[in-house]
Amino acid sequence: MAYQPSPSGASSSLPPLSRPQLAEARRVRAVELFEEGASNAAIARAVGVCAESVRRWRRLWEQGGVSALRRRSATGRPPKLDDAQVETVRSALARGAQAHGFEADLWTLERVGAVVEQVTGVSLSRASVWRLLTGRLGWSLQRPERRAVERDDSEIARWIAHEWPRIKKGP
């Protein structure tokens, strides 16, 4: 059964379905309609796809049942860090860069990579460190604000209040 938002528009405790989950829900609904004896054209209209997709799904369903239409896990190389290692990295990064011997408390890809290697023994490329930070840890790029060390906010406020109006009016 596919997730559908409540008609009242109130927020639901269920998260919205991802694109692959929605696609699988369509295929499962199509199977229900196959079993009811609906035509391919009627199923295509009901689930919002073209008739050719329904014909392909029907062939797969006839050959392998419902399981043939289920989502498959992603293929490709498995990640170098398992979930436990990612949590170890998360807690190490939460202590801050200075706790790991860096001068400033700012994280760079190189610094994160060094900490990952230190706590897990796994060496990651810059691209892999970026994917780890943004994909698995949920971090985003933050650029520090550049401010002069000598900055005096009270003097700036005084200048804006007294000097700027005098200059702005002109001679």
Side-chain angles (χ1 to χ4, degrees):
M1 184 160 109
Y3 165 74
Q4 294 184 359
S6 60
S8 66
S11 66
S12 173
S13 62
L14 293 174
L17 295 177
S18 67
R19 191 176 229 158
Q21 289 170 326
L22 285 171
E24 182 179 8
R26 273 194 201 102
R27 293 189 300 269
V28 169
R29 177 67 182 130
V31 166
E32 293 169 357
L33 296 171
F34 292 156
E35 292 169 346
E36 292 175 8
S39 71
N40 287 351
I43 295 170
R45 281 191 303 276
V47 298
V49 297
C50 68
E52 180 55 38
S53 293
V54 175
R55 280 192 291 277
R56 188 177 65 248
W57 294 347
R58 188 181 292 269
R59 276 194 311 271
L60 288 170
W61 173 67
E62 288 169 348
Q63 294 168 356
V66 178
S67 62
L69 294 174
R70 292 278 182 198
R71 271 191 323 146
R72 288 166 182 70
S73 60
T75 59
R77 183 180 181 146
K80 286 185 173 183
L81 299 176
D82 61 28
D83 292 339
Q85 289 173 313
V86 170
E87 286 310 311
T88 303
V89 170
R90 182 188 309 274
S91 62
L93 296 178
R95 293 197 315 262
Q98 288 178 327
H100 295 281
F102 298 109
E103 219 173 276
D105 208 17
L106 297 172
W107 287 114
T108 63
L109 293 178
E110 289 79 10
R111 288 180 177 186
V112 173
V115 170
V116 168
E117 190 164 2
Q118 180 184 24
V119 299
T120 66
V122 177
S123 177
L124 297 177
S125 68
R126 284 175 47 107
S128 294
V129 170
W130 176 254
R131 281 191 300 273
L132 169 69
L133 289 173
T134 58
R136 296 184 75 184
L137 294 176
W139 285 30
S140 62
L141 177 64
Q142 303 287 314
R143 296 194 188 269
E145 230 179 79
R146 296 200 179 270
R147 290 187 158 209
V149 176
E150 305 85 14
R151 181 181 172 106
D152 182 357
D153 289 326
S154 62
E155 178 60 23
I156 292 171
R158 186 203 62 75
W159 187 89
I160 289 173
H162 300 290
E163 300 297 323
W164 175 244
R166 183 179 58 80
I167 296 169
K168 189 173 136 182
K169 289 181 183 171

